[in-house]
Amino acid sequence: MSNRLLQICMVFGSASLLSFGGGSAIVPELQLQTVHDYGWLTSRQFADSFAITQVTPGPSTLLVTLLGYRADGLAGALLATVAMIVPASVLVGVVTMLWLRTGHARWHVALERGIAPIAVGLVVASGIIIARTVDHGVSAWAVTLAAGLVLGVTKLNPLAVVCAGGVIGLLLNSV
Amino acid sequence: MSEAPSAWTVARAFNQIALESFGGGLSAWSREVVVQERGWMTDEEFLSATTICRILPGANQVNLAVFVGLKLRGVVGAVSAVCGLVAVPGILVLVVGAIYLRVRDVPAVQHVLAGMAAAAVGLTFSVAWRQGRATLVSAIPCFLAGMTVLLSAMFRTPLWLILFLLGPLGFWWAWRRAAA
């Protein structure tokens, strides 16, 4: 296995086990490693990859498929996806089997509720980091705010709102 | 549930969930398909499943696929569910990414993508808003969330260190609350 593939395994394998709070919570860590530590892609490319995974169907964790592709082509894409999924999934599988037997314990409840606020903070942080990397101007922040508000108070399909953002982006800049 | 569904049926169900949902809409769709359409789990079972999937590391949707697949058909079911969830979307992401590489220097495309990226950030904030309303109920969770934003976004602190610093306080707070 080449050195690069080994690095991909390490980065995404450890991210898999560290991604408490779901896919978006690990985005800041992934950006730190793939852009700043390893330099597999620029922060601009990272933000674009993030946007692409937001508008394609499927779990947003498939961001790692694109990151892996940037790092080492198709082999990198496949390996990054597998490395991101397998470690956490094995852990979840083991816990699921235990859970199906044991039921609810106080430490379960405490762990879930205690980590939840940190997870919320991580999601906010991922939004800020992405916004900063795409050179957010006043108009971009306006789109961000509008999209956030619309999605926060309505049940509109996120895809529709993200596409509307694209149309607005086009209109704002071609005027 | 009279009979365990085949591995292929499980994979197809999760492929359906993945393709019919975008971005933040996945967990709603999972419930729609798993609980209502297929009747594989009750609402209560589904809730405890999503709870586990949120506590543990890993993407929530992938974790949920593992849970449901495992419950329905053991290890084979879990593997089928995860493959069903990510196989087709994974190819889609690469195709869209490749198209993007060819057209990224066209100014119009850049403007569209900038607008989409800006809206996608809004989507991220709206997810945080929804989760935050249920979670940030008193001073300590607000402090934890605020500190996390500061450490992660401003100081780029690695996640393990954030969990190491703030996790114990969160656990202690929730532990005391669980007793009350």
Side-chain angles (χ1 to χ4, degrees):
Chain A
M1 189 180 277
S2 79
N3 207 19
R4 179 60 69 86
L5 289 175
L6 205 66
Q7 288 172 341
I8 292 173
C9 248
M10 296 286 291
V11 167
F12 296 105
S14 58
S16 177
L17 289 174
L18 275 174
S19 55
F20 293 94
S24 19
I26 196 68
V27 168
E29 177 73 8
L30 288 176
Q31 209 254 3
L32 195 66
Q33 297 235 3
T34 58
V35 176
H36 295 283
D37 292 354
Y38 287 100
W40 289 332
L41 68 173
T42 65
S43 49
R44 169 83 217 204
Q45 288 172 324
F46 188 94
D48 289 338
S49 304
F50 178 79
I52 289 167
T53 50
Q54 295 295 308
V55 296
T56 48
S60 48
T61 190
L62 289 176
L63 169 65
V64 304
T65 310
L66 278 176
L67 299 182
Y69 186 79
R70 299 282 170 161
D72 209 7
L74 278 179
L78 191 65
L79 192 65
T81 312
V82 171
M84 191 67 190
I85 287 175
V86 171
S89 291
V90 169
L91 187 66
V92 171
V94 171
V95 173
T96 298
M97 292 202 236
L98 292 175
W99 180 277
L100 290 176
R101 288 183 207 144
T102 55
H104 310 265
R106 187 177 165 192
W107 65 268
H108 277 159
V109 179
L111 201 58
E112 187 212 8
R113 291 197 188 146
I115 284 181
I118 299 172
V120 171
L122 287 170
V123 176
V124 174
S126 70
I128 294 173
I129 288 163
I130 292 291
R132 271 209 312 241
T133 55
V134 293
D135 188 23
H136 244 52
V138 177
S139 58
W141 271 112
V143 172
T144 296
L145 229 74
L149 273 174
V150 166
L151 289 165
V153 296
T154 69
K155 287 192 184 257
L156 268 176
N157 189 326
L159 176 71
V161 177
V162 172
C163 286
V167 174
I168 293 170
L170 185 63
L171 292 177
L172 281 179
N173 286 285
S174 44
V175 171
Chain B
M1 187 170 57
S2 51
E3 195 182 323
S6 73
W8 178 242
T9 309
V10 174
R12 271 191 10 227
F14 276 90
N15 184 52
Q16 178 197 349
I17 291 171
L19 292 184
E20 285 177 353
S21 63
F22 289 88
L26 255 165
S27 57
W29 266 113
S30 305
R31 192 194 155 275
E32 189 86 9
V33 172
V34 171
V35 177
Q36 290 198 299
E37 205 172 290
R38 310 267 174 165
W40 284 340
M41 290 170 117
T42 66
D43 248 324
E44 208 174 29
E45 283 174 314
F46 188 80
L47 264 177
S48 75
T50 49
T51 303
I52 293 178
C53 296
R54 258 184 289 137
I55 300 174
L56 294 173
N60 293 343
Q61 300 315 318
V62 177
N63 290 357
L64 192 68
V66 171
F67 191 109
V68 176
L70 205 58
K71 184 175 182 294
L72 290 171
R73 230 189 153 72
V75 174
V76 175
V79 173
S80 317
V82 172
C83 289
L85 188 72
V86 301
V88 177
I91 293 166
L92 272 175
V93 153
L94 285 175
V95 170
V96 174
I99 294 171
Y100 164 73
L101 269 185
R102 284 169 186 256
V103 297
R104 68 172 163 185
D105 293 327
V106 179
V109 173
Q110 284 184 338
H111 296 150
V112 169
L113 268 165
M116 286 170 91
V121 171
L123 170 62
T124 305
F125 286 141
S126 79
V127 169
W129 165 252
R130 284 212 189 125
Q131 293 172 334
R133 280 204 309 191
T135 310
L136 308 180
V137 288
S138 65
I140 290 179
C142 287
F143 170 77
L144 288 171
M147 280 302 287
T148 305
V149 173
L150 203 67
L151 288 172
S152 180
M154 303 305 152
F155 297 108
R156 304 308 311 271
T157 311
L159 181 57
W160 68 266
L161 189 56
I162 294 176
L163 286 171
F164 179 77
L165 292 172
L166 299 176
L169 176 63
F171 185 81
W172 172 80
W173 167 75
W175 178 266
R176 287 193 38 181
R177 232 172 135 246

Short mmCIF file of all heavy atoms in Angstrom, two decimals, chain A residues 99-160:
data_model
loop_
_atom_site.label_atom_id
_atom_site.label_comp_id
_atom_site.label_asym_id
_atom_site.label_seq_id
_atom_site.Cartn_x
_atom_site.Cartn_y
_atom_site.Cartn_z
N TRP A 99 -27.11 -3.12 23.34
CA TRP A 99 -28.26 -2.28 23.64
C TRP A 99 -29.56 -3.08 23.52
O TRP A 99 -30.46 -2.97 24.35
CB TRP A 99 -28.29 -1.08 22.70
CG TRP A 99 -29.43 -0.14 22.91
CD1 TRP A 99 -30.70 -0.27 22.42
CD2 TRP A 99 -29.43 1.06 23.67
NE1 TRP A 99 -31.47 0.78 22.81
CE2 TRP A 99 -30.72 1.61 23.59
CE3 TRP A 99 -28.45 1.73 24.42
CZ2 TRP A 99 -31.06 2.80 24.22
CZ3 TRP A 99 -28.80 2.92 25.03
CH2 TRP A 99 -30.09 3.45 24.94
N LEU A 100 -29.66 -3.86 22.46
CA LEU A 100 -30.87 -4.65 22.25
C LEU A 100 -31.11 -5.60 23.42
O LEU A 100 -32.21 -6.08 23.63
CB LEU A 100 -30.77 -5.43 20.93
CG LEU A 100 -30.86 -4.57 19.66
CD1 LEU A 100 -30.64 -5.41 18.41
CD2 LEU A 100 -32.19 -3.83 19.57
N ARG A 101 -30.07 -5.86 24.23
CA ARG A 101 -30.24 -6.71 25.40
C ARG A 101 -30.44 -5.91 26.69
O ARG A 101 -31.23 -6.30 27.54
CB ARG A 101 -29.01 -7.61 25.58
CG ARG A 101 -28.93 -8.70 24.55
CD ARG A 101 -27.74 -9.59 24.82
NE ARG A 101 -27.28 -10.21 23.58
CZ ARG A 101 -26.02 -10.43 23.29
NH1 ARG A 101 -25.08 -10.10 24.15
NH2 ARG A 101 -25.69 -11.00 22.17
N THR A 102 -29.69 -4.80 26.86
CA THR A 102 -29.65 -4.16 28.19
C THR A 102 -30.73 -3.13 28.46
O THR A 102 -31.13 -2.95 29.60
CB THR A 102 -28.29 -3.45 28.43
OG1 THR A 102 -28.08 -2.53 27.36
CG2 THR A 102 -27.16 -4.44 28.49
N GLY A 103 -31.18 -2.39 27.45
CA GLY A 103 -32.16 -1.35 27.71
C GLY A 103 -31.52 -0.05 28.15
O GLY A 103 -30.36 0.20 27.85
N HIS A 104 -32.27 0.77 28.88
CA HIS A 104 -31.81 2.12 29.17
C HIS A 104 -31.13 2.21 30.54
O HIS A 104 -31.71 1.86 31.54
CB HIS A 104 -32.98 3.10 29.15
CG HIS A 104 -33.82 2.96 27.92
ND1 HIS A 104 -33.64 3.75 26.80
CD2 HIS A 104 -34.82 2.10 27.63
CE1 HIS A 104 -34.50 3.37 25.87
NE2 HIS A 104 -35.23 2.38 26.34
N ALA A 105 -29.91 2.74 30.55
CA ALA A 105 -29.21 2.98 31.81
C ALA A 105 -29.00 4.48 31.99
O ALA A 105 -29.05 5.23 31.02
CB ALA A 105 -27.88 2.25 31.81
N ARG A 106 -28.74 4.88 33.25
CA ARG A 106 -28.60 6.31 33.52
C ARG A 106 -27.42 6.91 32.77
O ARG A 106 -27.48 8.03 32.29
CB ARG A 106 -28.45 6.51 35.03
CG ARG A 106 -28.45 7.97 35.44
CD ARG A 106 -28.37 8.08 36.94
NE ARG A 106 -28.03 9.42 37.37
CZ ARG A 106 -27.67 9.71 38.61
NH1 ARG A 106 -27.62 8.76 39.53
NH2 ARG A 106 -27.37 10.94 38.93
N TRP A 107 -26.32 6.15 32.67
CA TRP A 107 -25.14 6.70 32.00
C TRP A 107 -25.38 6.89 30.50
O TRP A 107 -24.82 7.78 29.89
CB TRP A 107 -23.90 5.83 32.26
CG TRP A 107 -23.97 4.44 31.69
CD1 TRP A 107 -24.41 3.32 32.32
CD2 TRP A 107 -23.60 4.04 30.37
NE1 TRP A 107 -24.34 2.24 31.47
CE2 TRP A 107 -23.84 2.65 30.27
CE3 TRP A 107 -23.09 4.71 29.26
CZ2 TRP A 107 -23.60 1.92 29.10
CZ3 TRP A 107 -22.84 3.98 28.09
CH2 TRP A 107 -23.09 2.60 28.03
N HIS A 108 -26.26 6.04 29.92
CA HIS A 108 -26.65 6.26 28.52
C HIS A 108 -27.25 7.64 28.34
O HIS A 108 -26.87 8.41 27.47
CB HIS A 108 -27.72 5.23 28.09
CG HIS A 108 -27.15 3.93 27.67
ND1 HIS A 108 -27.88 2.77 27.65
CD2 HIS A 108 -25.91 3.60 27.26
CE1 HIS A 108 -27.11 1.77 27.24
NE2 HIS A 108 -25.92 2.25 27.01
N VAL A 109 -28.23 7.91 29.21
CA VAL A 109 -28.97 9.17 29.14
C VAL A 109 -28.02 10.34 29.35
O VAL A 109 -28.03 11.32 28.60
CB VAL A 109 -30.09 9.19 30.19
CG1 VAL A 109 -30.85 10.50 30.13
CG2 VAL A 109 -31.03 8.01 29.97
N ALA A 110 -27.17 10.22 30.38
CA ALA A 110 -26.25 11.31 30.72
C ALA A 110 -25.25 11.56 29.59
O ALA A 110 -24.94 12.70 29.27
CB ALA A 110 -25.52 11.00 32.02
N LEU A 111 -24.77 10.48 29.00
CA LEU A 111 -23.80 10.61 27.91
C LEU A 111 -24.43 11.31 26.71
O LEU A 111 -23.86 12.25 26.15
CB LEU A 111 -23.30 9.21 27.51
CG LEU A 111 -21.97 9.17 26.79
CD1 LEU A 111 -20.88 9.80 27.63
CD2 LEU A 111 -21.59 7.72 26.49
N GLU A 112 -25.64 10.88 26.39
CA GLU A 112 -26.31 11.47 25.22
C GLU A 112 -26.58 12.95 25.45
O GLU A 112 -26.27 13.80 24.63
CB GLU A 112 -27.62 10.75 24.94
CG GLU A 112 -28.25 11.23 23.65
CD GLU A 112 -29.76 11.20 23.68
OE1 GLU A 112 -30.34 10.95 24.75
OE2 GLU A 112 -30.35 11.45 22.64
N ARG A 113 -27.17 13.26 26.61
CA ARG A 113 -27.55 14.66 26.87
C ARG A 113 -26.34 15.55 27.11
O ARG A 113 -26.37 16.73 26.81
CB ARG A 113 -28.46 14.72 28.09
CG ARG A 113 -29.81 14.12 27.79
CD ARG A 113 -30.82 14.53 28.83
NE ARG A 113 -32.05 13.78 28.64
CZ ARG A 113 -32.85 13.40 29.64
NH1 ARG A 113 -32.52 13.69 30.89
NH2 ARG A 113 -33.94 12.73 29.39
N GLY A 114 -25.28 14.98 27.68
CA GLY A 114 -24.09 15.77 27.97
C GLY A 114 -23.30 16.13 26.73
O GLY A 114 -22.69 17.19 26.65
N ILE A 115 -23.32 15.24 25.73
CA ILE A 115 -22.56 15.49 24.51
C ILE A 115 -23.35 16.37 23.55
O ILE A 115 -22.77 17.10 22.74
CB ILE A 115 -22.15 14.15 23.85
CG1 ILE A 115 -20.98 13.56 24.65
CG2 ILE A 115 -21.74 14.33 22.41
CD1 ILE A 115 -20.46 12.27 24.09
N ALA A 116 -24.69 16.36 23.68
CA ALA A 116 -25.54 17.08 22.72
C ALA A 116 -25.17 18.56 22.54
O ALA A 116 -25.06 19.03 21.41
CB ALA A 116 -27.01 16.93 23.10
N PRO A 117 -24.94 19.33 23.65
CA PRO A 117 -24.59 20.75 23.46
C PRO A 117 -23.28 20.94 22.70
O PRO A 117 -23.15 21.85 21.89
CB PRO A 117 -24.46 21.29 24.89
CG PRO A 117 -25.17 20.32 25.75
CD PRO A 117 -25.06 18.99 25.07
N ILE A 118 -22.31 20.05 22.95
CA ILE A 118 -21.03 20.12 22.25
C ILE A 118 -21.24 19.85 20.76
O ILE A 118 -20.67 20.53 19.90
CB ILE A 118 -20.02 19.12 22.85
CG1 ILE A 118 -19.78 19.46 24.33
CG2 ILE A 118 -18.70 19.12 22.08
CD1 ILE A 118 -18.96 18.42 25.08
N ALA A 119 -22.12 18.88 20.48
CA ALA A 119 -22.42 18.55 19.08
C ALA A 119 -23.05 19.74 18.36
O ALA A 119 -22.71 20.04 17.22
CB ALA A 119 -23.34 17.33 19.01
N VAL A 120 -23.96 20.44 19.05
CA VAL A 120 -24.58 21.63 18.46
C VAL A 120 -23.51 22.68 18.15
O VAL A 120 -23.48 23.27 17.07
CB VAL A 120 -25.66 22.21 19.39
CG1 VAL A 120 -26.15 23.57 18.87
CG2 VAL A 120 -26.84 21.26 19.52
N GLY A 121 -22.60 22.89 19.12
CA GLY A 121 -21.51 23.84 18.91
C GLY A 121 -20.65 23.47 17.72
O GLY A 121 -20.23 24.33 16.94
N LEU A 122 -20.41 22.18 17.54
CA LEU A 122 -19.58 21.72 16.42
C LEU A 122 -20.25 21.97 15.08
O LEU A 122 -19.59 22.29 14.09
CB LEU A 122 -19.26 20.22 16.57
CG LEU A 122 -18.27 19.87 17.67
CD1 LEU A 122 -18.23 18.36 17.88
CD2 LEU A 122 -16.88 20.38 17.32
N VAL A 123 -21.57 21.83 15.05
CA VAL A 123 -22.30 22.08 13.80
C VAL A 123 -22.21 23.57 13.44
O VAL A 123 -21.94 23.93 12.29
CB VAL A 123 -23.77 21.62 13.91
CG1 VAL A 123 -24.54 21.99 12.64
CG2 VAL A 123 -23.84 20.12 14.14
N VAL A 124 -22.39 24.44 14.44
CA VAL A 124 -22.25 25.88 14.21
C VAL A 124 -20.84 26.20 13.71
O VAL A 124 -20.65 26.93 12.73
CB VAL A 124 -22.54 26.69 15.50
CG1 VAL A 124 -22.24 28.17 15.28
CG2 VAL A 124 -23.98 26.50 15.94
N ALA A 125 -19.84 25.60 14.37
CA ALA A 125 -18.45 25.85 13.99
C ALA A 125 -18.19 25.43 12.55
O ALA A 125 -17.50 26.14 11.81
CB ALA A 125 -17.51 25.11 14.94
N SER A 126 -18.76 24.30 12.12
CA SER A 126 -18.53 23.85 10.74
C SER A 126 -19.11 24.86 9.76
O SER A 126 -18.52 25.12 8.71
CB SER A 126 -19.08 22.44 10.52
OG SER A 126 -20.48 22.44 10.53
N GLY A 127 -20.27 25.45 10.11
CA GLY A 127 -20.84 26.49 9.26
C GLY A 127 -19.92 27.69 9.14
O GLY A 127 -19.68 28.21 8.05
N ILE A 128 -19.38 28.13 10.28
CA ILE A 128 -18.49 29.30 10.29
C ILE A 128 -17.23 29.04 9.48
O ILE A 128 -16.79 29.87 8.68
CB ILE A 128 -18.12 29.68 11.75
CG1 ILE A 128 -19.37 30.16 12.50
CG2 ILE A 128 -17.04 30.76 11.76
CD1 ILE A 128 -19.15 30.38 13.98
N ILE A 129 -16.65 27.85 9.67
CA ILE A 129 -15.40 27.53 8.98
C ILE A 129 -15.60 27.49 7.47
O ILE A 129 -14.80 28.05 6.70
CB ILE A 129 -14.83 26.19 9.50
CG1 ILE A 129 -14.29 26.41 10.92
CG2 ILE A 129 -13.75 25.66 8.59
CD1 ILE A 129 -14.08 25.14 11.70
N ILE A 130 -16.69 26.85 7.04
CA ILE A 130 -16.98 26.80 5.60
C ILE A 130 -17.19 28.21 5.06
O ILE A 130 -16.66 28.57 4.02
CB ILE A 130 -18.23 25.93 5.34
CG1 ILE A 130 -17.94 24.46 5.65
CG2 ILE A 130 -18.68 26.07 3.88
CD1 ILE A 130 -16.98 23.80 4.71
N ALA A 131 -17.96 29.01 5.80
CA ALA A 131 -18.25 30.37 5.36
C ALA A 131 -16.96 31.16 5.18
O ALA A 131 -16.78 31.89 4.20
CB ALA A 131 -19.17 31.08 6.36
N ARG A 132 -16.03 31.01 6.13
CA ARG A 132 -14.77 31.74 6.05
C ARG A 132 -13.94 31.32 4.85
O ARG A 132 -13.31 32.14 4.19
CB ARG A 132 -13.97 31.53 7.33
CG ARG A 132 -14.31 32.55 8.39
CD ARG A 132 -13.13 32.80 9.29
NE ARG A 132 -12.53 31.56 9.74
CZ ARG A 132 -12.46 31.20 11.01
NH1 ARG A 132 -12.91 31.98 11.94
NH2 ARG A 132 -11.89 30.07 11.35
N THR A 133 -13.92 30.00 4.55
CA THR A 133 -13.06 29.52 3.47
C THR A 133 -13.57 29.94 2.10
O THR A 133 -12.80 30.04 1.17
CB THR A 133 -12.90 27.99 3.49
OG1 THR A 133 -14.19 27.40 3.46
CG2 THR A 133 -12.17 27.54 4.73
N VAL A 134 -14.89 30.17 1.96
CA VAL A 134 -15.36 30.59 0.64
C VAL A 134 -15.40 32.11 0.50
O VAL A 134 -16.05 32.63 -0.38
CB VAL A 134 -16.75 30.00 0.28
CG1 VAL A 134 -16.64 28.50 0.10
CG2 VAL A 134 -17.79 30.35 1.31
N ASP A 135 -14.69 32.82 1.37
CA ASP A 135 -14.58 34.26 1.25
C ASP A 135 -15.97 34.91 1.25
O ASP A 135 -16.39 35.53 0.28
CB ASP A 135 -13.81 34.62 -0.04
CG ASP A 135 -13.51 36.11 -0.12
OD1 ASP A 135 -13.48 36.74 0.95
OD2 ASP A 135 -13.32 36.61 -1.23
N HIS A 136 -16.65 34.72 2.33
CA HIS A 136 -18.02 35.19 2.45
C HIS A 136 -18.10 36.72 2.49
O HIS A 136 -17.66 37.34 3.44
CB HIS A 136 -18.61 34.63 3.76
CG HIS A 136 -19.75 33.70 3.53
ND1 HIS A 136 -19.68 32.63 2.68
CD2 HIS A 136 -21.00 33.67 4.05
CE1 HIS A 136 -20.82 31.99 2.70
NE2 HIS A 136 -21.65 32.59 3.51
N GLY A 137 -18.69 37.32 1.47
CA GLY A 137 -18.95 38.75 1.48
C GLY A 137 -20.30 39.04 2.08
O GLY A 137 -20.97 38.14 2.59
N VAL A 138 -20.70 40.31 2.00
CA VAL A 138 -21.98 40.72 2.59
C VAL A 138 -23.14 39.98 1.90
O VAL A 138 -24.05 39.46 2.56
CB VAL A 138 -22.19 42.24 2.47
CG1 VAL A 138 -23.56 42.64 3.01
CG2 VAL A 138 -21.10 42.97 3.23
N SER A 139 -23.09 39.91 0.56
CA SER A 139 -24.21 39.28 -0.15
C SER A 139 -24.27 37.79 0.16
O SER A 139 -25.34 37.21 0.30
CB SER A 139 -24.08 39.52 -1.65
OG SER A 139 -22.86 39.01 -2.13
N ALA A 140 -23.10 37.16 0.28
CA ALA A 140 -23.08 35.73 0.61
C ALA A 140 -23.67 35.49 2.00
O ALA A 140 -24.45 34.54 2.21
CB ALA A 140 -21.66 35.19 0.54
N TRP A 141 -23.33 36.36 2.94
CA TRP A 141 -23.89 36.22 4.28
C TRP A 141 -25.41 36.42 4.27
O TRP A 141 -26.14 35.76 5.02
CB TRP A 141 -23.24 37.19 5.27
CG TRP A 141 -22.02 36.60 5.91
CD1 TRP A 141 -20.73 37.00 5.74
CD2 TRP A 141 -21.96 35.49 6.81
NE1 TRP A 141 -19.87 36.20 6.47
CE2 TRP A 141 -20.60 35.27 7.14
CE3 TRP A 141 -22.92 34.62 7.36
CZ2 TRP A 141 -20.17 34.25 7.99
CZ3 TRP A 141 -22.50 33.60 8.22
CH2 TRP A 141 -21.15 33.43 8.52
N ALA A 142 -25.86 37.34 3.39
CA ALA A 142 -27.30 37.56 3.28
C ALA A 142 -27.98 36.29 2.79
O ALA A 142 -29.03 35.88 3.33
CB ALA A 142 -27.58 38.72 2.33
N VAL A 143 -27.38 35.63 1.78
CA VAL A 143 -27.94 34.37 1.27
C VAL A 143 -27.94 33.31 2.38
O VAL A 143 -28.92 32.59 2.59
CB VAL A 143 -27.15 33.88 0.04
CG1 VAL A 143 -27.60 32.48 -0.37
CG2 VAL A 143 -27.33 34.84 -1.12
N THR A 144 -26.81 33.23 3.10
CA THR A 144 -26.70 32.26 4.19
C THR A 144 -27.79 32.47 5.24
O THR A 144 -28.48 31.53 5.65
CB THR A 144 -25.32 32.39 4.87
OG1 THR A 144 -24.31 32.05 3.93
CG2 THR A 144 -25.22 31.47 6.08
N LEU A 145 -27.95 33.73 5.62
CA LEU A 145 -28.94 34.06 6.65
C LEU A 145 -30.35 33.75 6.17
O LEU A 145 -31.15 33.15 6.90
CB LEU A 145 -28.83 35.55 7.00
CG LEU A 145 -28.76 35.85 8.49
CD1 LEU A 145 -27.39 35.47 9.02
CD2 LEU A 145 -29.05 37.32 8.75
N ALA A 146 -30.63 34.15 4.92
CA ALA A 146 -31.96 33.91 4.37
C ALA A 146 -32.24 32.41 4.30
O ALA A 146 -33.31 31.94 4.71
CB ALA A 146 -32.07 34.55 2.98
N ALA A 147 -31.27 31.65 3.79
CA ALA A 147 -31.45 30.20 3.67
C ALA A 147 -31.66 29.57 5.05
O ALA A 147 -32.54 28.73 5.24
CB ALA A 147 -30.24 29.57 2.98
N GLY A 148 -30.84 30.02 6.02
CA GLY A 148 -30.97 29.48 7.38
C GLY A 148 -32.34 29.76 7.96
O GLY A 148 -32.96 28.88 8.56
N LEU A 149 -32.82 30.99 7.76
CA LEU A 149 -34.14 31.38 8.29
C LEU A 149 -35.26 30.57 7.64
O LEU A 149 -36.11 30.01 8.32
CB LEU A 149 -34.38 32.87 8.06
CG LEU A 149 -33.84 33.81 9.14
CD1 LEU A 149 -34.02 35.26 8.73
CD2 LEU A 149 -34.56 33.54 10.47
N VAL A 150 -35.20 30.50 6.30
CA VAL A 150 -36.24 29.77 5.57
C VAL A 150 -36.29 28.32 6.02
O VAL A 150 -37.36 27.76 6.29
CB VAL A 150 -35.99 29.86 4.04
CG1 VAL A 150 -36.84 28.84 3.30
CG2 VAL A 150 -36.28 31.26 3.54
N LEU A 151 -35.10 27.70 6.13
CA LEU A 151 -35.05 26.29 6.52
C LEU A 151 -35.39 26.09 7.99
O LEU A 151 -35.87 25.04 8.39
CB LEU A 151 -33.67 25.70 6.20
CG LEU A 151 -33.40 25.52 4.72
CD1 LEU A 151 -31.92 25.30 4.47
CD2 LEU A 151 -34.20 24.35 4.19
N GLY A 152 -35.10 27.12 8.79
CA GLY A 152 -35.38 27.01 10.22
C GLY A 152 -36.86 27.06 10.53
O GLY A 152 -37.33 26.40 11.45
N VAL A 153 -37.62 27.85 9.75
CA VAL A 153 -39.04 28.03 10.10
C VAL A 153 -39.99 27.28 9.18
O VAL A 153 -41.15 27.09 9.51
CB VAL A 153 -39.43 29.53 10.14
CG1 VAL A 153 -38.66 30.25 11.24
CG2 VAL A 153 -39.19 30.20 8.81
N THR A 154 -39.52 26.84 8.00
CA THR A 154 -40.41 26.09 7.11
C THR A 154 -39.92 24.65 6.97
O THR A 154 -38.85 24.30 7.47
CB THR A 154 -40.45 26.70 5.70
OG1 THR A 154 -39.18 26.49 5.09
CG2 THR A 154 -40.77 28.18 5.75
N LYS A 155 -40.69 23.83 6.29
CA LYS A 155 -40.28 22.45 6.04
C LYS A 155 -39.91 22.25 4.58
O LYS A 155 -40.03 21.16 4.04
CB LYS A 155 -41.41 21.50 6.44
CG LYS A 155 -41.55 21.39 7.95
CD LYS A 155 -42.47 20.24 8.32
CE LYS A 155 -42.66 20.21 9.82
NZ LYS A 155 -41.97 19.24 10.53
N LEU A 156 -39.47 23.33 3.94
CA LEU A 156 -39.05 23.26 2.54
C LEU A 156 -37.91 22.27 2.38
O LEU A 156 -37.07 22.11 3.26
CB LEU A 156 -38.59 24.63 2.06
CG LEU A 156 -39.62 25.54 1.40
CD1 LEU A 156 -38.98 26.88 1.08
CD2 LEU A 156 -40.12 24.89 0.11
N ASN A 157 -37.88 21.60 1.22
CA ASN A 157 -36.79 20.69 0.90
C ASN A 157 -35.46 21.47 0.85
O ASN A 157 -35.36 22.45 0.13
CB ASN A 157 -37.07 20.05 -0.45
CG ASN A 157 -36.10 18.93 -0.77
OD1 ASN A 157 -34.93 19.01 -0.39
ND2 ASN A 157 -36.57 17.91 -1.43
N PRO A 158 -34.46 21.03 1.61
CA PRO A 158 -33.17 21.75 1.62
C PRO A 158 -32.58 21.89 0.22
O PRO A 158 -31.95 22.91 -0.08
CB PRO A 158 -32.28 20.87 2.50
CG PRO A 158 -33.21 20.13 3.37
CD PRO A 158 -34.47 19.91 2.56
N LEU A 159 -32.77 20.87 -0.63
CA LEU A 159 -32.23 20.94 -1.98
C LEU A 159 -32.77 22.16 -2.72
O LEU A 159 -32.04 22.87 -3.40
CB LEU A 159 -32.57 19.68 -2.76
CG LEU A 159 -32.12 19.69 -4.22
CD1 LEU A 159 -30.62 19.58 -4.31
CD2 LEU A 159 -32.79 18.60 -5.02
N ALA A 160 -34.09 22.39 -2.58
CA ALA A 160 -34.72 23.52 -3.25
C ALA A 160 -34.10 24.83 -2.79
O ALA A 160 -33.82 25.73 -3.60
CB ALA A 160 -36.22 23.52 -2.99
#
